[in-house]
């Protein structure tokens, strides 16, 4: 559960995602997935996405966004029309440059906070 100060949703959600991506950058896939309240991806699905769906490719190294000096992250946050939460697309980087992967996360309102759902990791 993510507890958010009203009006600061984007800041809290970006902080959550950047923390998660720091774990992904360390290639700790199980811990990365465990941060989410729910995930539509298994650990195997995640690794396969990092290989661009080609099992013969090496796993793409993802940057820890907190360690990138010249942030060029593209982040898109959209509120659902019925005020039930938000959807975020966050473009990933490798060696400081945007790669072809985007992570999609939903932040769904529950009681006094939000749950984080790992929706997808895919190429655009």
């Amino acid at each position: 559960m993510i507890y958010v100060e009203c009006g600061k949703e984007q800041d809290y959600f970006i902080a959550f995602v950047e923390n998660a991506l720091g774990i992904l950058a360390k290639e700790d896939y199980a811990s990365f997935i465990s941060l989410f309240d729910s995930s539509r991806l298994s650990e195997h699905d995640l690794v396969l996405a990092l290989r661009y769906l080609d099992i013969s490719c090496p796993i793409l190294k993802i940057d820890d966004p907190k360690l990138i000096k010249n942030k060029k992250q593209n982040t898109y946050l959209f509120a659902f029309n019925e005020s039930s939460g938000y959807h975020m697309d966050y473009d990933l980087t490798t060696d400081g440059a945007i790669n072809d992967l985007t992570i999609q996360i939903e932040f769904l309102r529950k009681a006094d906070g939000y749950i984080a759902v790992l929706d997808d990791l895919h190429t655009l």
Side-chain angles (χ1 to χ4, degrees):
M1 182 76 68
I2 301 170
Y3 298 99
V4 175
E5 186 179 331
C6 186
K8 300 205 180 246
E9 289 84 359
Q10 182 167 341
D11 295 338
Y12 280 75
F13 298 153
I14 288 174
F16 173 86
V17 172
E18 289 183 348
N19 178 61
L21 292 176
I23 293 169
L24 183 61
K26 294 176 185 168
E27 300 176 2
D28 187 352
Y29 307 119
S31 293
F32 170 77
I33 289 176
S34 73
L35 290 174
F36 297 90
D37 297 289
S38 177
S39 175
R40 294 186 176 103
L41 298 176
S42 67
E43 189 174 340
H44 174 75
D45 296 332
L46 179 66
V47 171
L48 191 56
L50 291 169
R51 289 183 166 163
Y52 291 97
L53 303 179
D54 184 347
I55 199 144
S56 66
C57 288
I59 296 174
L60 181 67
K61 179 71 175 147
I62 301 298
D63 292 334
D64 181 338
K66 294 178 280 184
L67 302 179
I68 297 174
K69 292 183 179 22
N70 57 341
K71 280 194 155 188
K72 293 182 181 178
Q73 237 70 39
N74 293 326
T75 305
Y76 308 96
L77 185 66
F78 308 98
F80 294 134
N81 289 337
E82 66 278 1
S83 299
S84 61
Y86 296 84
H87 173 86
M88 180 184 282
D89 288 345
Y90 190 105
D91 294 341
L92 303 182
T93 62
T94 300
D95 296 328
I98 299 230
N99 59 38
D100 292 333
L101 293 175
T102 298
I103 190 167
Q104 294 182 319
I105 300 169
E106 291 181 351
F107 297 96
L108 305 176
R109 188 181 308 274
K110 298 289 181 191
D112 57 346
Y114 292 86
I115 61 168
V117 178
L118 178 57
D119 193 33
D120 200 7
L121 176 65
H122 66 272
T123 58
L124 289 179

